[in-house]
Amino acid sequence: MTNRLPRFRAACMIAASLCLPFGSGCAADADDAARAAQAAARAAEAAADAASAGTDAAPAPSAPADPALRASLVGRWAMDEDEREELDSDLELRADGRYEFRLRFAGAERRQHGRWRLLGREAVALAPESSDALALATGRAYTAEELRQAAAAGSLEQAVALGLVPAGPWLMQQPATAGEPVSITLSDPLVGVAAPGAAVAIEFADGRTVEASRVAGNEFELRPDPARAPPRRIGVRFARDRDYRWLALSGPLRRYYALLFDACEAGHCGSPPVLLITRQRGERALNAGFGLYRRR
C-alpha cells in the first residue's frame, strides 16, 4: 500500500480566530472581511498601547463599552453543527470578563483561558492568558458510512489506499515497520498553521532521541529502527523555546502522529484574536469567517 500522508481538514473555521487575527483571508464576504480587518487593527492598537503603558489590554469588567450588548453576549457559545464535521468547539464568555475556549479534535482536547472585551459594537476581542499549547491527536472512530465504503473496497486498508476514507485514523493505529518513514504533522488543529523554526523529536526507552526532518510546511518524518526500543515521548521545540515540550507515548512506534499546537501560545499571533458579532438566521452569532458560534 502506498504510504499516504493523511491530510486533516485544514479550513479557516470559527475557532481559528483564537489563534489568528480575524480578517486574515477567511471572512465570508468582502464586507465582513473589511469589518474584521478594522476590528483586528483596533485590537492590535489597543494591545500595543497597553503594552507600552505596562497594563493589560482587556478593560476592567466594571467599565464595559456597551453594557446591554456586553450582557447579551455572556454565556456559552458552540460551533454550529453544520460547520463541525471532525471537530467540536465551544466558547464561554463570562460576566466577570473571563472566557474559556474548548476544542476537541481527532481525539485530542485543547483549552484556552483569558479575558474578553467588546470592540465597539462589531467584535469581541480575546486576550489569551493560558492555553494547552500542545496536544497529541489519537484519531477517531470511522463512521458507519466509512465502514461501508471499506467493506465495499475489501478492507479498511484498501479503502485508505484508494482514498475512500481518511487515512489519519488508520495510520495512527498502525505500528511502524523498518524502512518506512514515521510521518508527523505539527499544526494548529483548525487552519494547519505551520510553526517556522520548530523542531520535532521522539525519545525512545533506550535513551535515544531522534529528531525528525522537516519535509515541507508542517510535515516532518523520521526513520528510526522500531525494533530497537519503544517510544517514550514525543516533543516539540518552538523557535522561542530553549527546551522541548514533551508528551508521553504508549505502545509501539506508530506510522503517523498528529501534534496540535496553539499558534498564539507558541508566539505566532500577529494581533489579538477577535470574533465578529453578526446575525444569522435571525439570531446573533459570533463569526470568524468560515463558521459560526451560536448561543447554546
Side-chain angles (χ1 to χ4, degrees):
M1 188 193 94
T2 302
N3 182 17
R4 298 189 175 200
L5 185 67
R7 308 285 182 178
F8 281 109
R9 187 169 181 267
C12 292
M13 302 289 288
I14 176 68
S17 65
L18 296 172
C19 299
L20 296 175
F22 192 97
S24 58
C26 304
D29 54 47
D31 290 341
D32 276 359
R35 291 173 59 204
Q38 293 169 2
R42 289 198 301 272
E45 183 178 352
D49 291 343
S52 63
T55 61
D56 196 313
S62 60
D66 185 328
L69 176 59
R70 186 182 186 281
S72 72
L73 296 175
V74 170
R76 180 174 175 269
W77 301 77
M79 183 174 287
D80 193 310
E81 292 181 359
D82 294 338
E83 307 288 351
R84 289 185 181 183
E85 296 192 9
E86 295 182 0
L87 61 90
D88 181 26
S89 176
D90 59 80
L91 173 69
E92 183 180 358
L93 301 178
R94 297 172 180 165
D96 63 359
R98 314 292 299 182
Y99 77 86
E100 180 175 359
F101 164 72
R102 289 176 290 270
L103 169 74
R104 290 161 291 277
F105 176 81
E109 179 171 288
R110 221 186 65 197
R111 291 174 177 262
Q112 185 184 93
H113 307 269
R115 300 178 66 188
W116 69 278
R117 68 186 183 98
L118 281 176
L119 292 177
R121 297 186 58 83
E122 293 186 337
V124 172
L126 304 178
E129 294 178 349
S130 66
S131 174
D132 297 330
L134 195 64
L136 178 66
T138 56
R140 62 169 177 82
Y142 283 106
T143 66
E145 176 58 29
E146 289 169 339
L147 291 176
R148 282 194 289 271
Q149 294 274 7
S155 69
L156 186 56
E157 181 176 2
Q158 187 64 19
V160 168
L162 294 173
L164 299 176
V165 299
W170 186 79
L171 289 173
M172 285 179 182
Q173 302 303 319
Q174 299 304 304
T177 58
E180 277 193 337
V182 173
S183 299
I184 304 168
T185 54
L186 173 65
S187 64
D188 179 279
L190 295 168
V191 296
V193 175
V200 178
I202 293 181
E203 181 185 275
F204 292 84
D206 60 4
R208 289 177 300 141
T209 297
V210 180
E211 188 167 306
S213 301
R214 187 186 292 266
V215 178
N218 65 347
E219 300 171 7
F220 298 78
E221 71 175 29
L222 49 80
R223 294 175 179 269
D225 180 358
R228 285 186 56 179
R232 177 184 295 159
R233 55 185 185 170
I234 187 168
V236 177
R237 187 182 65 237
F238 294 106
R240 68 180 187 180
D241 292 343
R242 294 183 58 186
D243 302 311
Y244 275 92
R245 308 179 188 212
W246 295 102
L247 296 173
L249 296 176
S250 61
L253 185 67
R254 306 293 182 180
R255 291 179 59 183
Y256 172 60
Y257 294 97
L259 292 167
L260 318 178
F261 79 101
D262 183 325
C264 277
E265 201 282 338
H268 296 290
C269 276
S271 64
V274 298
L275 300 170
L276 191 65
I277 301 170
T278 186
R279 297 194 73 84
Q280 297 286 334
R281 303 176 191 169
E283 63 181 11
R284 183 170 286 142
L286 300 178
N287 184 358
F290 202 81
L292 299 170
Y293 278 137
R294 297 186 186 278
R295 176 76 71 181
R296 291 293 182 269

